Amino acid sequence: MDKLIITAAMVGAEITRQHNPNLPVTPEEIARAAYDCCQAGASVVHLHVRDDHGTPTQAGERFRETIEKIKAKCNIIIQVSTGGAVGMTAEERLQPVYLKPEMATLSTGSVNFGDDVFLNPPSYLERFAMAIKENGVKPEIEVFDVGMISNALQLVKKGLLEEPLHYDFVMGVPGGIPGTLKNLLHLTESIPPGSTWTVAGMGRFELPLGTAAIIMGGHVRVGFEDNIYYEKGVLAQSNAQLVERIVRVADIHSRPVASPDEARKILRLGS
Ligand code: KMH
Ligand code: ZN
């Protein structure tokens, strides 16, 4: 098994300080949280940013400022979100890709998202994949349901994506694939051999699915974007606290944790 890559999804677009007062919002707070997560064992940050009012934004300038502050503190891999928030236009969502970060997400299908729809029609998939390719960015395929794997493989056939792909199984979103072990197994068996994968379990699914991934040879995403609780009824004090817990679980299962440079090799960044 490869060493374990832990991704910290620290901000997201849906959570507010009303949900968890420890949510990092400003570029300074996000950079500090990224540093703390890196120190705790994360090798990737999945990055969303907020404007001065705490509202989700995909503004290139805000990403640039936040990325600079993170880079000044640590060597963690920065993966920008192209999902943004529901209702944003494709061009709005694509802005951080033009900064040529090491990684960016690519959601390969539409999904009901609570009471909303996270819209990713075929035209978006091609446009996003092309922008990601043209800017030399490594995509992480966001899979909210199993059909999104075949959509990604269609993009490979069209020459818009290159294998081996790295997938993120986002499980337990209301409207997406439920966060069961049976479904995780189905997803892992549906990707081509040689692919890499991580799992992002929503809410109470974060810890059991993360534990399963550690045992199965996958990788793990944790953080406030997916889960604001440390345990039932107890809010997490920080993103780093959630990273620390996954490091302890990995340790119990004798799975060493990857440094950012080791993660770069596993994910074949820059190759
Ligand atoms: N905020 C969600 C609607 C991504 O970052 O690529 C989409 C999302 C996926 O978070
Ligand atoms: Zn996201």
Side-chain angles (χ1 to χ4, degrees), residues 174-237:
I177 193 164
T180 63
L181 286 176
K182 198 173 168 183
N183 284 338
L184 178 61
L185 198 60
H186 182 43
L187 290 167
T188 60
E189 287 174 348
S190 303
I191 57 177
S195 310
T196 49
W197 61 273
T198 190
V199 69
M202 299 300 111
R204 66 191 168 87
F205 299 114
E206 183 172 87
L207 186 57
L209 291 174
T211 304
I214 288 167
I215 296 165
M216 293 164 72
H219 303 282
V220 183
R221 180 173 113 172
V222 295
F224 287 178
E225 175 166 348
D226 304 333
N227 169 40
I228 55 171
Y229 291 102
Y230 190 73
E231 56 191 66
K232 193 171 164 62
V234 180
L235 290 172
Q237 286 160 14

Side-chain angles (χ1 to χ4, degrees), residues 60-78:
E61 261 321 299
R62 197 62 163 196
F63 268 93
R64 188 196 305 279
E65 186 188 350
T66 309
I67 289 170
E68 273 170 13
K69 289 192 190 308
I70 295 173
K71 283 189 173 166
K73 285 185 179 296
C74 58
N75 177 33
I76 199 159
I77 297 165
I78 296 172

Side-chain angles (χ1 to χ4, degrees), residues 46 48 81 221 225:
H46 167 72
H48 288 254
S81 168
R221 180 173 113 172
E225 175 166 348

Side-chain angles (χ1 to χ4, degrees), residues 99-177:
L99 300 172
K100 302 186 191 299
E102 282 188 278
M103 294 183 78
T105 56
L106 172 58
S107 295
T108 47
S110 300
V111 62
N112 285 351
F113 199 86
D115 293 332
D116 298 308
V117 180
F118 179 37
L119 207 60
N120 295 292
S123 61
Y124 278 34
L125 307 194
E126 294 198 2
R127 188 163 166 198
F128 280 50
M130 210 174 289
I132 287 170
K133 190 180 164 81
E134 282 170 2
N135 284 278
V137 182
K138 167 85 179 184
E140 178 183 89
I141 309 302
E142 304 301 297
V143 172
F144 291 80
D145 219 329
V146 69
M148 297 186 190
I149 295 173
S150 30
N151 292 346
L153 295 175
Q154 283 298 323
L155 294 171
V156 172
K157 272 198 187 142
K158 289 179 183 164
L160 293 169
L161 290 177
E162 255 171 56
E163 291 196 284
L165 289 174
H166 178 61
Y167 295 87
D168 178 29
F169 302 137
V170 187
M171 302 182 69
V173 168
I177 193 164

